[in-house]
């Protein structure tokens, strides 16, 4: 065979984020080499200074839109990409920095920075989907490497990627993790959190803290009863503020 | 003693030391011993190195949505109700590869490629666990469509029951005709005599069981010991507090399809599926293609995808999911498999994070059917 098969171009972008999701991709190690063999990595500043101009077949976008610059970048990414994939809690629902949506950003700026006037922060910190059409969302803080690899494999082979809509409980039961809510009275958020992490935290004897966001039909009222008033409020703040910023909370 | 004689003999006694040699004997027969041990706060069915791994002097306490263990002041090795996860995990494996597809000489080729099936002796099964296996057999080994992996796991597994002496407050095996005494379906069945840990009465249930027993050092039971074994089982029976009234239940479930009671259950239910995963008879699996491998994976009727068709799920609401599960388990299962799907182990009640009690829900539905005011 003389003709080289076409290799789709992959771009990896960063908005307001900690880089942890991009690092998850780099941490794939051997599997990363396989991905690199199947695609042309055209833009991935975290990994290489070699940047190729668009258009791109697949863009993985990490981070939330927090200022005018990221708002402009997200438009550019959309216009240059066939498939836009939001990766991680920041890109899919705002992330930890979205806590400011429930406070006064000007007050935050003055208490954190010596020259607040230099900071161009929008009042709200929002997910990518508040600005452009997103084709797929990979949840988690950070994303699961396994889910990312399975997603890329499916997309590259023309299959419809599978995303669970059920809760973390299924993953605990498949793995054989003893239920922390039932056996220890832990305020585990597993019953209302979307699966995909492979029951990572419960597997290490820690209750789920909801980083994959709410699952389909999450029964929050039942969770309040499970966790008890105090713990429920503390934990629900995590799932509501960090990982479920109301879309379009800004004008 | 010929192979056919084993039923007619008085069951002998296995003392502590000889019980300890069970591991070596089973290993000689090629079996890995899988039995109860305390793991992460629950008594689980796990590989055991020796009798020292058994949960000596430990009991379990179960209430709806709650499971705890505590110590008891005696030497019972099997002094708990039953293991938190039943035998299902070892027979109907949670995730197993069935086949793999590859390209050979340019042609797609499908090859059977199953995960190795371990040869295990499941130790400590209760009567309810045996009944559950009998039900699973009916489902998974139906003549025209037997599941290959289940069949092989079953073939490779030796069943060593231990009669239940310590039902939990959630057990209702008697009303399901499943216990507490093991009456068949085992290779060997032990009864632990008081004060626990030093004498076991051994019954044989199969030629294989007989072969294994003949390698163990036993002595004849005294009349008193035979009497004691009956007494401990009677005591277990007497301690069962919970019941599921099955009379009129099928009709109540069928006629209550539109009842608003389901919405009340749905208010408490997470649709997490923990009841089905903990249930020793729930058998539903999904078949998934992950690249070149084809896997069978535990599924549950509480997932929306379970009833997913073009355009959405047939049962998308928690109310319809719960109704489907309990109606299948306690009514239509009968028509499908000539038995109900419940053995009264109470696992679905204990391991439900919301503590939903299927016996209470069934009772409420029967009440609705009989015109009780709500």
């Amino acid at each position: 065979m003389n003709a080289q098969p076409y290799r789709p171009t992959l771009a990896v972008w960063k908005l307001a984020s900690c880089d942890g999701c991009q690092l998850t991709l780099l941490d794939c190690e051997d599997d990363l080499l396989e991905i690199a063999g199947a695609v042309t990595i055209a833009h991935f500043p975290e990994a290489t200074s070699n940047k190729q101009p668009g258009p791109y077949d697949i863009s993985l976008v990490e981070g939330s839109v927090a200022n005018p610059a990221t708002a402009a970048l997200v438009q550019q990414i959309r216009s240059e990409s066939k498939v836009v994939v939001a990766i991680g809690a920041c890109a899919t629902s705002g992330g930890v920095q979205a806590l400011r949506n429930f406070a006064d950003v000007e007050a935050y700026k003055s208490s954190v920075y010596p020259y607040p006037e230099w900071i161009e922060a929008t009042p709200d910190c929002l997910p990518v989907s508040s600005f452009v059409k997103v084709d797929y969302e990979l949840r988690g803080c950070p994303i699961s490497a396994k889910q990312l690899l399975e997603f890329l494999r499916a997309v590259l082979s023309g299959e419809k990627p599978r995303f669970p809509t059920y809760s973390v409980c299924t993953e605990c039961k498949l793995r054989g993790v003893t239920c922390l809510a039932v056996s220890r009275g832990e305020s585990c958020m597993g019953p209302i959190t979307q699966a995909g992490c492979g029951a990572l935290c419960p597997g290490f004897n820690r209750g789920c803290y909801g980083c994959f966001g709410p699952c389909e039909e999450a029964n929050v009222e039942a969770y309040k009863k499970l966790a008890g008033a105090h713990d429920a409020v503390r934990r629900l703040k995590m799932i509501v503020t960090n990982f479920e910023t109301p879309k379009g909370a800004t004008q | 003693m010929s192979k056919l004689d084993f039923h007619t003999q008085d069951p002998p006694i296995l003392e502590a030391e000889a019980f300890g040699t069970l591991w070596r004997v089973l290993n000689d027969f090629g079996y890995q011993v899988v039995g109860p041990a305390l793991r992460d706060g629950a008594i689980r069915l796990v590989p055991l190195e020796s009798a020292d791994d058994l949960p000596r002097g430990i009991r379990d306490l179960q209430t709806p949505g709650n499971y705890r263990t505590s110590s008891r002041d005696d030497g019972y090795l099997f002094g708990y109700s039953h293991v938190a996860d039943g035998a299902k995990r070892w027979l109907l494996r949670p995730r197993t590869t069935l086949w793999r597809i590859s390209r050979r000489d340019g042609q797609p080729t499908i090859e059977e490629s199953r995960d190795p099936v371990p040869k295990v002796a499941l130790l400590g099964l209760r009567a309810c666990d045996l009944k559950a296996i009998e039900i699973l057999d009916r489902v998974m080994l139906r003549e025209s469509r037997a599941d290959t992996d289940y069949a092989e796991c079953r073939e490779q597994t030796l069943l060593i029951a231990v009669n239940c002496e310590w039902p939990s407050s959630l057990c209702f095996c008697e009303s399901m005709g499943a216990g507490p005494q093991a009456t068949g379906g085992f290779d060997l069945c032990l009864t632990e005599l008081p004060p626990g840990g030093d004498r076991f009465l051994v019954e044989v249930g199969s030629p294989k069981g007989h072969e294994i027993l003949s390698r163990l050092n036993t002595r004849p039971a005294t009349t008193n010991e035979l009497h004691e074994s009956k007494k401990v089982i009677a005591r277990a029976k007497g301690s069962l507090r919970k019941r599921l009234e099955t009379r009129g239940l099928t009709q109540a479930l069928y006629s209550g399809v539109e009842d608003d009671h389901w919405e009340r259950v749905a208010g408490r239910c997470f649709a997490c599926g923990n009841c089905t995963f903990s249930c020793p008879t729930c058998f539903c699996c999904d078949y998934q293609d992950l690249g070149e491998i084809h896997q069978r994976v535990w599924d549950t009727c509480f997932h929306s995808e379970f009833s997913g068709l073009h355009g959405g799920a047939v049962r998308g609401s928690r109310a319809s999911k719960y109704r489907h599960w309990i109606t299948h388990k306690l009514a239509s299962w009968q028509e499908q498999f000539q038995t109900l799907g419940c053995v009264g182990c109470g696992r679905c009640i204990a391991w439900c994070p919301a503590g939903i009690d299927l016996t209470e829900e069934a009772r409420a539905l029967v009440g609705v059917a009989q015109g009780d005011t709500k």
Side-chain angles (χ1 to χ4, degrees):
Chain A
M1 279 209 288
N2 294 326
Q4 286 285 318
Y6 175 70
R7 296 201 305 177
T9 49
L10 178 75
V12 185
W13 306 87
K14 169 189 162 63
L15 309 174
S17 60
C18 76
D19 292 32
C21 292
Q22 296 184 64
L23 285 174
T24 304
L25 180 57
L26 288 175
D27 284 345
C28 291
E29 299 183 350
D30 287 356
D31 293 315
L32 182 64
L33 296 177
E34 254 186 76
I35 298 171
V39 298
T40 299
I41 296 178
H43 179 97
F44 190 0
E46 177 94 20
T48 168
S49 52
N50 175 22
K51 292 181 195 173
Q52 295 174 27
Y56 310 103
D57 289 301
I58 305 169
S59 275
L60 305 179
V61 187
E62 175 198 271
S64 50
V65 177
N67 53 34
T70 44
L73 180 57
V74 84
Q75 296 294 345
Q76 183 205 329
I77 295 168
R78 179 70 269 184
S79 67
E80 290 186 331
S81 317
K82 272 193 207 160
V83 175
V84 171
V85 189
I87 61 167
C90 299
T92 59
S93 53
V96 69
Q97 60 271 29
L99 280 169
R100 79 167 187 236
N101 300 2
F102 301 88
D104 177 8
V105 72
E106 295 307 319
Y108 271 24
K109 271 178 12 185
S110 351
S111 65
V112 174
Y113 299 100
Y115 299 100
E117 64 275 18
W118 291 2
I119 304 299
E120 282 197 313
T122 44
D124 286 336
C125 183
L126 296 167
V128 178
S129 62
S130 291
F131 295 84
V132 296
K133 177 176 174 278
V134 171
D135 300 288
Y136 299 103
E137 289 192 334
L138 291 178
R139 297 204 196 167
C141 181
I143 53 167
S144 140
K146 204 176 160 207
Q147 199 174 38
L148 175 67
L149 289 170
E150 173 51 26
F151 168 78
L152 288 174
R153 186 205 60 71
V155 166
L156 293 172
S157 53
E159 283 173 35
K160 186 181 169 200
R162 298 172 71 107
F163 293 105
T165 57
Y166 48 78
S167 74
V168 174
C169 294
T170 294
E171 295 187 321
C172 273
K173 288 291 182 283
L174 255 73
R175 275 186 63 176
V177 174
T178 301
C179 180
L180 297 168
V182 169
S183 72
R184 292 208 321 222
E186 187 97 17
S187 312
C188 179
M189 298 190 87
I192 55 168
T193 301
Q194 181 174 302
C197 60
L200 186 63
C201 295
F204 286 102
N205 266 314
R206 292 188 57 174
C208 168
Y209 69 99
C211 81
F212 269 64
C215 62
E216 181 187 279
E217 243 207 320
N219 193 341
V220 174
E221 288 307 312
Y223 179 71
K224 285 188 200 159
K225 285 207 187 83
L226 169 78
H230 175 73
D231 241 17
V233 169
R234 191 175 64 84
R235 295 239 181 194
L236 282 168
K237 264 187 187 159
M238 292 193 220
I239 205 166
V240 174
T241 62
N242 296 7
F243 307 114
E244 182 68 345
T245 305
K247 283 171 190 169
T250 190
Q251 351 349 12
Chain B
M1 192 157 83
S2 88
K3 275 193 173 176
L4 293 173
D5 287 344
F6 61 76
H7 281 303
T8 59
Q9 306 288 317
D10 260 351
I13 290 284
L14 194 59
E15 291 190 347
E17 201 177 314
F19 176 73
T21 65
L22 186 61
W23 271 254
R24 190 171 42 73
V25 171
L26 289 169
N27 290 345
D28 286 350
F29 279 91
Y31 291 107
Q32 180 188 22
V33 181
V34 168
L38 188 61
R39 291 279 187 282
D40 297 326
I43 297 167
R44 305 284 306 264
L45 205 50
V46 293
L48 304 181
E49 292 299 319
S50 74
D52 294 340
D53 292 342
L54 291 166
R56 181 187 289 272
I58 294 178
R59 62 196 286 242
D60 58 334
L61 300 160
Q62 300 186 35
T63 54
N66 258 292
Y67 179 103
R68 295 290 187 277
T69 56
S70 68
S71 48
R72 44 186 301 151
D73 50 13
D74 56 31
Y76 272 92
L77 299 178
F78 301 91
Y80 55 90
S81 64
H82 49 53
V83 286
D85 48 351
K88 181 169 85 173
R89 183 172 294 278
W90 291 90
L91 300 173
L92 180 61
R93 305 192 275 182
R95 182 185 284 280
T96 190
T97 299
L98 300 177
W99 50 258
R100 152 185 317 273
I101 189 162
S102 59
R103 196 183 291 277
R104 201 170 286 167
D105 304 325
Q107 294 300 313
T109 312
I110 292 175
E111 285 170 303
E112 188 170 336
S113 169
R114 287 195 298 109
D115 297 334
V117 174
K119 192 172 173 181
V120 293
L122 297 182
L123 171 67
L125 302 180
R126 303 304 199 192
C128 56
D129 294 318
L130 297 172
K131 176 75 177 173
I133 293 171
E134 185 198 314
I135 294 172
L136 270 186
D137 282 355
R138 286 192 198 204
V139 176
M140 303 305 293
L141 301 177
R142 274 176 297 172
E143 250 174 54
S144 55
R145 49 196 302 185
D147 181 285
T148 319
D149 195 72
Y150 178 87
E152 198 177 322
C153 286
R154 192 71 177 78
E155 177 74 33
Q156 294 289 329
T157 303
L158 190 83
L159 305 178
I160 306 180
V162 177
N163 269 318
C164 182
E165 296 175 40
W166 314 100
S168 87
S169 66
L170 301 182
C171 290
F172 54 100
C173 56
E174 199 183 14
S175 50
M176 303 315 293
Q181 184 172 12
T183 51
F186 52 77
D187 293 289
L188 288 173
C189 178
L190 315 181
T191 306
E192 189 171 15
L193 299 182
D198 59 359
R199 290 168 306 149
F200 298 90
L201 190 85
V202 195
E203 292 163 77
V204 170
S206 75
K208 189 90 200 173
H210 175 246
E211 213 179 323
I212 287 159
L213 182 63
S214 66
R215 293 273 306 275
L216 296 166
N217 202 1
T218 56
R219 63 164 172 80
T222 63
T223 320
N224 190 38
E225 283 168 333
L226 290 172
H227 179 67
E228 267 182 310
S229 76
K230 288 193 179 78
K231 221 166 84 181
V232 294
I233 290 165
R235 187 189 57 203
K237 219 172 193 172
S239 72
L240 287 165
R241 289 288 169 266
K242 213 172 181 58
R243 281 196 64 79
L244 176 66
E245 184 52 71
T246 51
R247 247 178 322 166
L249 189 53
T250 304
Q251 204 41 50
L253 287 165
Y254 286 166
S255 64
V257 170
E258 304 288 348
D259 198 85
D260 56 8
H261 182 74
W262 302 116
E263 287 298 335
R264 285 197 290 276
V265 185
R268 304 164 61 206
C269 175
F270 287 108
C272 63
N274 285 357
C275 47
T276 65
F277 297 126
S278 308
C279 175
T281 69
C282 271
F283 57 84
C284 286
C285 287
D286 186 21
Y287 294 86
Q288 301 179 353
D289 291 296
L290 295 167
E292 70 278 14
I293 60 170
H294 184 77
Q295 293 190 322
R296 189 197 69 199
V297 187
W298 278 3
D299 201 354
T300 166
C301 47
F302 284 89
H303 288 169
S304 290
E305 294 94 328
F306 184 85
S307 67
L309 292 177
H310 176 74
V314 175
R315 290 181 296 275
S317 69
R318 289 191 300 270
S320 61
K321 289 168 183 174
Y322 189 84
R323 180 184 64 194
H324 174 80
W325 175 63
I326 197 172
T327 307
H328 186 213
K329 182 120 317 218
L330 298 180
S332 57
W333 201 297
Q334 179 74 46
E335 290 156 45
Q336 201 178 0
F337 304 113
Q338 292 73 54
T339 172
L340 289 183
C342 178
V343 297
C345 67
R347 287 184 178 96
C348 61
I349 310 171
W351 296 98
C352 171
I356 298 173
D357 183 335
L358 130 147
T359 65
E360 294 297 331
E361 300 312 323
R363 207 187 321 278
L365 259 296
V366 170
V368 166
Q370 292 169 353
D372 281 10
T373 46
K374 289 163 206 164

